[in-house]
Amino acid sequence: MKNKLALFLAAAMLFSGCGKEEPTFTATAGEAEPIVKTATLAVVGDIMVHDYQYNEAYDPATGEYDFMHNFQDAKKYFEGYDLVMGNLELTFGGPERPYASFPCFNTPDSFLDAVKDAGFNLLTTANNHSMDTGKAGVIRTLDKLDEYGIEHFGTYRSQQERDTILYKDVNGIRFAFLSYTYGTNGIPVPEEYLVNIIDDDVMVSDIREARKNADVVVVMPHMGNEYETYPRDIFVEWADMMFEAGADIVLASHPHVLQKMEYRTIDHGNGAHDGFIIYSLGNFISSQTTPPRNASIILHLTVEQIADEAPNVKEVSFVPIWTQFRNAENENEFVVRSVYERLNLSQFEKDSQIRKKDQIRLEEIHHETASFLLGREIPLSEMQEEYIFYK
């Protein structure tokens, strides 16, 4: 009996610590770790082609338009991302009619060579310029996107297409995509299915339907007041309506300048989780070269889903960008540039590539993007190529 008691006390002392760390226990042998799925998105704002751009792209020797230089600097920020998205704010109405920009955009088809090469694989086509070349232009634009293998949503060729929500499985996370525009610049829409116009009841119904079949619902509304750097109450109310109906991510456009972004805590009945909104992504490329319309970002989102929990927008970051309009020789040259990369050139390189006034403008853009979006002053001495956006 004494021997048994001694063994019991020794065991008790061993597991009570006696100055040692308590043992740690792992999951029961054979118990599977929860499955973690992630999807990554790279998103930009308005993709536009004004006459300055297609005139610069024109080669009189061949009679062709070459836009391939537009995104050569920027496309590295799309590499490795599952979805590369933007707002295609133009139409491909065809060469039978004159190429044109504002107020009615008709863009050379070869612009799609640059868009495809950059890595874009998903575009919203619902905006105030959707009807610029009429019904035929809406349909031809979609046909050209299909030809290039770029998926799209927001405008449609038939009622059946319009009623078929775009779903995409991204690494096991099921996304739904919807987009709407406040209007079409007064151009009539002969069939309602051609362009998704913002209508409260229709939009809420669509989002609720998408919610039934998706883990993540992304809505890209074309809304806001042009050139205003803040969202008015009506647009905040529209965004609230989208989230309440079932949206997880809202990526808005139209003002042509950046507006604020924020995380949203939402619960669609499957647990509270982080959603996200940016009220305006600004211009990605255009000929709107006056401040602040030539300052923008490439937005990066990481969505994470653990087991069957509601997916979270786990991380948001952004790369400040600038659309260079003219080179150091004052010749038109449209290229989307990283602000960080341009400001980190040697002075000799800056002078040989960038006009003096644009060198000054680049420093302003850093403030207009990084400091503005993060809500705190970031001096150039602390400049980063990409910034993490915290809650």
Side-chain angles (χ1 to χ4, degrees):
M1 178 66 74
K2 288 182 179 179
N3 289 339
K4 289 183 179 180
L5 180 59
L7 288 171
F8 175 80
L9 291 172
M13 291 175 66
L14 176 64
F15 289 103
S16 65
C18 294
K20 297 181 180 179
E21 293 184 3
E22 295 211 11
T24 57
F25 297 91
T26 57
T28 305
E31 182 178 315
E33 292 290 326
I35 297 173
V36 178
K37 296 173 283 188
T38 60
T40 56
L41 289 67
V43 191
V44 304
D46 305 323
I47 301 170
M48 309 181 76
V49 176
H50 291 86
D51 51 359
Y52 286 101
Q53 291 158 266
Y54 61 71
N55 287 337
E56 183 254 326
Y58 182 68
D59 183 350
T62 63
E64 302 293 333
Y65 295 85
D66 184 356
F67 298 90
M68 291 298 290
H69 56 290
N70 289 174
F71 309 128
Q72 291 305 304
D73 277 20
K75 70 179 186 178
K76 63 171 143 309
Y77 299 109
F78 304 140
E79 292 173 356
Y81 284 82
D82 297 306
L83 298 175
V84 181
M85 306 167 60
N87 169 44
L88 188 68
E89 195 158 353
L90 51 80
T91 67
F92 298 106
E96 295 78 16
R97 65 178 78 204
Y99 293 123
S101 61
F102 185 83
C104 292
F105 288 81
N106 181 33
T107 301
D109 296 344
S110 59
F111 181 64
L112 278 172
D113 293 330
V115 172
K116 180 70 174 180
D117 178 73
F120 288 95
N121 54 19
L122 185 59
L123 297 171
T124 171
T125 51
N127 51 66
N128 57 309
H129 291 286
S130 298
M131 290 296 302
D132 280 3
T133 50
K135 177 180 178 179
V138 171
I139 294 171
R140 190 178 185 280
T141 299
L142 300 180
D143 290 344
K144 296 304 295 185
L145 290 171
D146 287 345
E147 181 183 322
Y148 276 77
I150 300 172
E151 293 190 272
H152 46 82
F153 56 104
T155 59
Y156 306 95
R157 287 166 284 218
S158 68
Q159 188 66 48
Q160 181 179 2
E161 272 193 10
R162 189 262 170 239
D163 293 338
T164 304
I165 295 171
L166 176 62
Y167 295 99
K168 288 188 67 64
D169 187 290
V170 184
N171 304 327
I173 303 175
R174 187 168 171 80
F175 284 78
F177 297 93
L178 296 163
S179 66
Y180 306 84
T181 177
Y182 73 91
T184 56
N185 290 344
I187 300 174
V189 182
E191 279 81 35
E192 289 185 1
Y193 62 74
L194 286 169
V195 184
N196 268 358
I197 303 295
I198 293 177
D199 174 282
D200 292 0
D201 293 337
V202 172
M203 187 167 63
V204 166
S205 177
D206 289 344
I207 295 171
R208 285 176 176 168
E209 182 61 30
R211 177 81 267 151
K212 296 176 186 176
N213 301 295
D215 301 308
V216 178
V217 177
V218 179
V219 184
M220 296 185 73
H222 201 69
M223 65 182 191
N225 280 14
E226 288 187 328
Y227 319 133
E228 292 184 350
T229 57
Y230 63 94
R232 296 199 179 197
D233 290 346
I234 180 61
F235 307 120
V236 175
E237 290 169 9
W238 271 348
D240 291 344
M241 184 187 305
M242 294 172 203
F243 282 116
E244 290 167 8
D248 299 285
I249 298 172
V250 177
L251 307 167
S253 60
H254 180 58
H256 301 299
V257 295
L258 286 170
Q259 293 185 359
K260 69 176 183 176
M261 55 188 185
E262 60 192 24
Y263 282 93
R264 291 287 192 98
T265 300
I266 50 181
D267 190 342
H268 303 310
N270 55 348
H273 59 282
D274 285 334
F276 175 79
I277 181 171
I278 182 165
Y279 285 93
S280 174
L281 282 150
N283 287 328
F284 179 56
I285 191 168
S286 76
S287 295
Q288 294 183 324
T289 58
T290 55
R293 298 181 297 173
N294 58 357
S296 188
I297 60 171
I298 296 172
L299 183 70
H300 290 151
L301 304 173
T302 298
V303 177
E304 180 184 83
Q305 184 175 26
I306 301 175
D308 294 326
E309 296 178 3
N312 274 294
V313 178
K314 183 183 179 184
E315 184 173 282
V316 175
S317 61
F318 62 90
V319 177
I321 57 171
W322 163 61
T323 298
Q324 184 170 6
F325 179 28
R326 291 190 173 130
N327 59 25
E329 285 72 44
N330 211 37
E331 300 166 333
N332 283 0
E333 183 181 17
F334 287 85
V335 184
V336 179
R337 309 282 196 186
S338 159
V339 172
Y340 176 87
E341 288 186 347
R342 294 296 100 185
L343 285 176
N344 273 281
L345 294 174
S346 69
Q347 191 58 52
F348 174 79
E349 290 172 315
K350 287 179 183 176
D351 291 341
S352 64
Q353 299 176 35
I354 307 169
R355 297 181 300 176
K356 285 290 187 183
K357 67 177 183 179
D358 288 335
Q359 294 179 34
I360 297 170
R361 176 70 189 130
L362 280 165
E363 295 184 5
E364 296 172 349
I365 289 174
H366 176 261
H367 177 80
E368 290 172 14
T369 53
S371 298
F372 170 68
L373 291 175
L374 296 178
R376 57 186 174 84
E377 191 63 35
I378 301 174
L380 286 173
S381 60
E382 298 176 13
M383 179 177 59
Q384 300 176 32
E385 184 172 22
E386 183 162 2
Y387 293 90
I388 303 294
F389 179 68
Y390 293 99
K391 286 185 282 185

